[in-house]
Amino acid sequence: MSSRLSPRPATVFWEGVRDGTPFIVMVAPFALLFGVVAAELGLSLAETLGFSTLVIAGAAQFATLELLDAGAPVSVAVGTGLAVNLRMALYSASLVPFFGRAPLRHRAWIAYALVDQVYALALLRFQGREEPQGARLAYYAGAAAPICGIWILACALGAQAQSTVAAVPGLDFAVPLTFLAMVTPMLKDRPSAAAAVVATGLAILGHELPLNSGMLLAAAGGMVTGALLEGLGEAHG
Amino acid sequence: MAELAPSTLWFTIAALGLGTYLIRFSFLGFLGGRTLPPLALRLLRYVPVAVFPALVAPQVLWPSATGGEFDAPRLLAALCTLLVGLWRRNVLLALGAGLGLLLVLELLRGL
């Protein structure tokens, strides 16, 4: 085999850890805040940890908790949380070209760790780079370890420490800025840039649509725009 | 929290957890090694560049921290992150620039 040409999985794993670790700074405040909010609403540490380990999706956890607090029926709270997470079906589909042939036991944990930041790091690495599947699995595991780990840990810390966090101004905005920063290196051709512009416009127009559907329609509009422009580019030469 | 039995809460957590996992597992798990048609592959290439801007845009214009009110420092911080990211193609530099600008603007507002 080409073991001499391709780096060892352990090396690639640590490359993933190296790329994922800085995101601790962005994920931790959001997770701490979830822990604080959950504790203030009367959730036990076990219940807070249940959310952060079983759901492991910040925006959906906040949305569900807020609705429960407001007295909404459980079905509405769960349904809204799931609608917020529906974008992850797109992440799942877009990983098929890279991991579709991996054994089921690998795909099972890949799905568990499929949070926004891990997904974006994986795509930044995999797109336009040929490497064996073992290396991709190792990189994904390395990137997911610090990001998922700090999410769970900081949710618990927030539940214990309560209101001492969230004192640094502007940290509430770290998550949107993270997503923006991660998408910019991907805007390297015309179809990608057009997809981003169309998705932005549609998301603004549709931000009041119920159950997060504006976001999903905007994403679909952006994807169709990118694919159409790519096709036109090919047709013209 | 409105009166809520622990069992109801655990049911909510389990249902949301299971549903979210099935969403994440969906294509990756059930489609498995099947080859996707070229059109699907072409559409899927644009998932990140479509989903992330669609997630971010409403939060930039109507941030939750200000209760959905437009907030100039947050818009400026987002533009700063976008421009630095497009200019240097460096995720952490872009993020640091945006967060740094927002911190400075927030501190100035407090004066």
Side-chain angles (χ1 to χ4, degrees):
Chain A
M1 291 296 286
S2 59
S3 60
R4 231 181 263 187
L5 292 175
S6 51
R8 292 165 54 235
T11 312
V12 183
F13 174 84
W14 288 110
E15 285 174 16
V17 172
R18 183 200 61 201
D19 290 349
T21 300
F23 292 92
I24 286 178
V25 183
M26 284 68 88
V27 173
F30 198 46
L32 283 168
L33 189 62
F34 180 80
V36 170
V37 169
E40 281 173 359
L41 292 179
L43 267 69
S44 70
L45 181 60
E47 288 161 344
T48 305
L49 274 172
F51 262 112
S52 62
T53 55
L54 297 178
V55 183
I56 194 161
Q61 288 178 216
F62 273 105
T64 304
L65 211 52
E66 276 167 25
L67 282 167
L68 281 182
D69 183 45
V74 169
S75 55
V76 172
V78 172
T80 304
L82 291 178
V84 170
N85 284 341
L86 213 48
R87 68 182 184 281
M88 292 167 183
L90 292 173
Y91 299 170
S92 183
S94 93
L95 285 181
V96 169
F98 306 109
F99 287 134
R101 288 175 199 286
L104 185 64
R105 64 176 195 283
H106 284 306
R107 283 181 279 140
W109 67 257
I110 288 169
Y112 173 75
L114 192 49
V115 304
D116 298 287
Q117 290 86 353
V118 176
Y119 169 72
L121 278 177
L123 267 273
L124 279 170
R125 165 100 178 188
F126 299 161
Q127 282 187 336
R129 177 203 284 250
E130 286 297 325
E131 59 185 340
Q133 184 173 267
R136 285 186 172 142
L137 286 169
Y139 182 82
Y140 189 92
I147 292 173
C148 296
I150 196 66
W151 175 256
I152 293 166
L153 185 69
C155 279
L157 281 178
Q160 295 296 84
Q162 300 201 26
S163 51
T164 47
V165 261
V168 180
L171 270 186
D172 59 279
F173 209 53
V175 170
L177 289 183
T178 303
F179 292 165
L180 257 184
M182 294 187 102
V183 84
T184 48
M186 300 177 190
L187 304 175
K188 47 188 179 256
D189 51 40
R190 211 171 279 227
S192 300
V197 169
V198 168
T200 302
L202 290 177
I204 289 168
L205 288 176
H207 81 283
E208 283 179 332
L209 292 176
L211 283 174
N212 208 37
S213 53
M215 189 252 132
L216 294 170
L217 286 173
M223 287 164 61
V224 169
T225 304
L228 276 178
L229 282 183
E230 188 187 318
L232 281 178
E234 278 172 7
H236 286 282
Chain B
M1 171 82 68
E3 282 312 303
L4 206 63
S7 58
T8 313
L9 196 56
W10 276 110
F11 174 79
T12 306
I13 293 169
L16 186 63
L18 181 67
T20 299
Y21 184 77
L22 287 177
I23 289 171
R24 285 173 167 144
F25 190 70
S26 57
F27 290 93
L28 199 53
F30 299 121
L31 216 60
R34 255 165 285 174
T35 319
L36 293 171
L39 178 63
L41 286 174
R42 179 175 287 181
L43 281 168
L44 289 174
R45 269 201 287 281
Y46 296 96
V47 168
V49 293
V51 170
F52 286 118
L55 267 179
V56 168
Q59 295 182 58
V60 168
L61 291 182
W62 303 284
S64 45
T66 55
E69 286 292 309
F70 173 80
D71 184 61
R74 283 175 173 74
L75 177 64
L76 291 173
L79 290 177
C80 176
T81 295
L82 184 64
L83 291 177
V84 172
L86 289 174
W87 174 39
R88 303 304 297 267
R89 308 265 162 197
N90 181 322
V91 174
L92 293 177
L93 193 69
L95 184 64
L99 267 183
L101 177 64
L102 183 56
L103 182 63
V104 168
L105 292 175
E106 286 283 334
L107 290 175
L108 286 178
R109 172 152 56 187
L111 290 181

